[in-house]
């Protein structure tokens, strides 16, 4: 039987080698799950990786509209557009376009891009290769956490929080900074702020007192479906 091993790797892996994992059947049924180092990972036909937390950034850039013949220029234009928004040389970052939308002006377009340090990617791939767990796919939790509807979605787990403000936007938030960060995001949204924020909590995770209460933002948090980190990977 073909099976899939899904690994949720945080920003400190492999220095901290233990991670969450899920073992799925070929039709995406959960066979088993756990938290361990590589020695505890089950055998599987294939391996896939979920990058959790702040090691991935998701931004949007406004670029000149590119015809088919000029799309090869996209990496150069993205690097130029991101130069003032990153605290490092864009050339050191791996850039993956996620979506392209027309701007209000027909001569421009909005491009979404996932950003991760190239050296970080080499570290992950090199270690998994040595473990004979070469991944067939790597995705970001920013994309797989709940975010299908027009509402905002806040997913909480022991490894961190993910805020989805649309199906084309996501932000990783440190749990210690959750309340003020959520307040800032809600205030900055202005008239576009939602009438509620759907709250998804990982089973077994106990919310610290006050962790979802912003200062005076009155964010309308509403309990929603549980957060199952592996489930989003079956849809991505």
């Amino acid at each position: 039987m073909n099976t899939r091993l899904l690994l949720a790797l945080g920003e400190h892996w492999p220095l901290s080698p233990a991670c969450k994992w899920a073992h799925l059947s070929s039709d995406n049924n959960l066979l088993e799950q756990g938290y361990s180092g590589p020695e505890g990972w089950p055998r599987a036909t294939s391996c896939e990786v979920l990058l959790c937390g702040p090691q991935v950034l998701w931004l949007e850039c406004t670029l000149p509209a590119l015809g088919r013949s000029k799309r090869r220029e996209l990496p150069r234009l993205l690097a130029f557009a991101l130069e003032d928004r990153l605290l490092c040389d864009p050339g050191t970052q791996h850039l993956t376009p996620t979506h392209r939308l027309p701007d209000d002006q027909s001569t421009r377009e909005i491009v979404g891009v996932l950003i991760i340090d190239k050296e970080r990617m080499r570290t992950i791939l090199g270690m998994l290769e040595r473990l004979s767990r070469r991944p067939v796919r790597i995705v970001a939790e920013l994309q797989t956490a709940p975010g299908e509807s027009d509402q905002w979605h806040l997913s909480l787990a022991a490894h961190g929080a993910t805020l989805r403000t649309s199906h084309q936007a996501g932000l990783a938030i440190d749990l210690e900074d959750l309340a003020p960060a959520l307040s800032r995001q809600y205030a900055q949204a202005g008239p576009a702020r939602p009438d509620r924020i759907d709250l998804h909590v990982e089973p077994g995770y106990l919310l610290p007192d006050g962790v979802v209460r912003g200062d005076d933002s009155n964010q309308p948090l509403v309990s929603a479906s549980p957060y199952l980190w592996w489930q989003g990977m079956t849809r991505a």
Side-chain angles (χ1 to χ4, degrees):
M1 179 178 65
N2 291 333
T3 62
R4 303 161 59 194
L5 175 64
L6 310 184
L7 304 174
L9 302 184
E11 61 181 320
H12 300 300
W13 190 91
L15 186 61
S16 298
C19 71
K20 295 177 183 177
W21 55 262
H23 192 202
L24 305 185
S25 66
S26 57
D27 52 359
N28 291 326
N29 289 321
L30 181 65
L31 301 175
E32 54 182 333
Q33 61 181 322
Y35 178 84
S36 72
E39 70 284 351
W41 301 347
R43 293 181 177 273
T45 310
S46 64
C47 175
E48 301 172 39
V49 167
L50 181 70
L51 297 176
C52 304
Q55 58 189 321
V56 180
L57 188 62
W58 199 358
L59 299 178
E60 285 187 328
C61 304
T62 301
L63 302 176
L66 298 175
R68 289 182 180 273
S69 62
K70 295 185 178 180
R71 288 187 179 178
R72 62 181 179 276
E73 297 182 21
L74 183 58
R76 179 182 63 82
L77 293 174
L78 281 173
F80 181 77
L82 292 167
E83 194 169 12
D84 293 334
R85 300 176 65 182
L86 300 176
L87 300 177
C88 57
D89 179 358
T92 65
Q93 306 298 298
H94 182 76
L95 308 178
T96 304
T98 58
H99 59 272
R100 299 171 67 170
L101 302 171
D103 195 2
D104 294 337
Q105 303 178 30
S106 59
T107 59
R108 305 183 71 79
E109 62 183 8
I110 297 172
V111 180
V113 57
L114 289 170
I115 305 165
I116 183 171
D117 184 80
K118 288 180 179 179
E119 185 59 35
R120 174 65 180 149
M121 282 290 288
R122 282 192 287 268
T123 297
I124 292 171
L125 291 172
M127 179 57 72
L128 291 173
E129 186 77 42
R130 289 191 288 275
L131 293 169
S132 299
R133 299 283 189 166
R134 183 178 179 85
V136 298
R137 185 173 68 137
I138 298 178
V139 296
E141 188 176 27
L142 298 180
Q143 291 180 293
T144 62
E148 297 81 11
S149 70
D150 292 334
Q151 298 296 332
W152 287 17
H153 295 259
L154 178 63
S155 299
L156 299 182
H159 63 264
T162 304
L163 177 65
R164 298 290 303 276
T165 55
S166 79
H167 69 285
Q168 294 173 330
L171 174 69
I173 303 175
D174 191 299
L175 289 172
E176 294 182 357
D177 188 47
L178 180 57
L182 192 58
S183 294
R184 289 193 298 271
Q185 291 293 319
Y186 200 68
Q188 291 170 5
R193 65 171 60 98
D195 56 11
R196 74 170 194 270
I197 302 175
D198 287 351
L199 178 62
H200 308 265
V201 181
E202 184 179 49
Y205 175 65
L206 298 178
L207 295 177
D209 290 340
V211 73
V212 296
R213 289 201 299 268
D215 299 332
D216 295 309
S217 58
N218 296 317
Q219 307 103 326
L221 290 161
V222 177
S223 294
S225 58
Y227 180 43
L228 306 176
W229 67 268
W230 55 267
Q231 203 167 59
M233 294 187 71
T234 66
R235 299 188 297 266

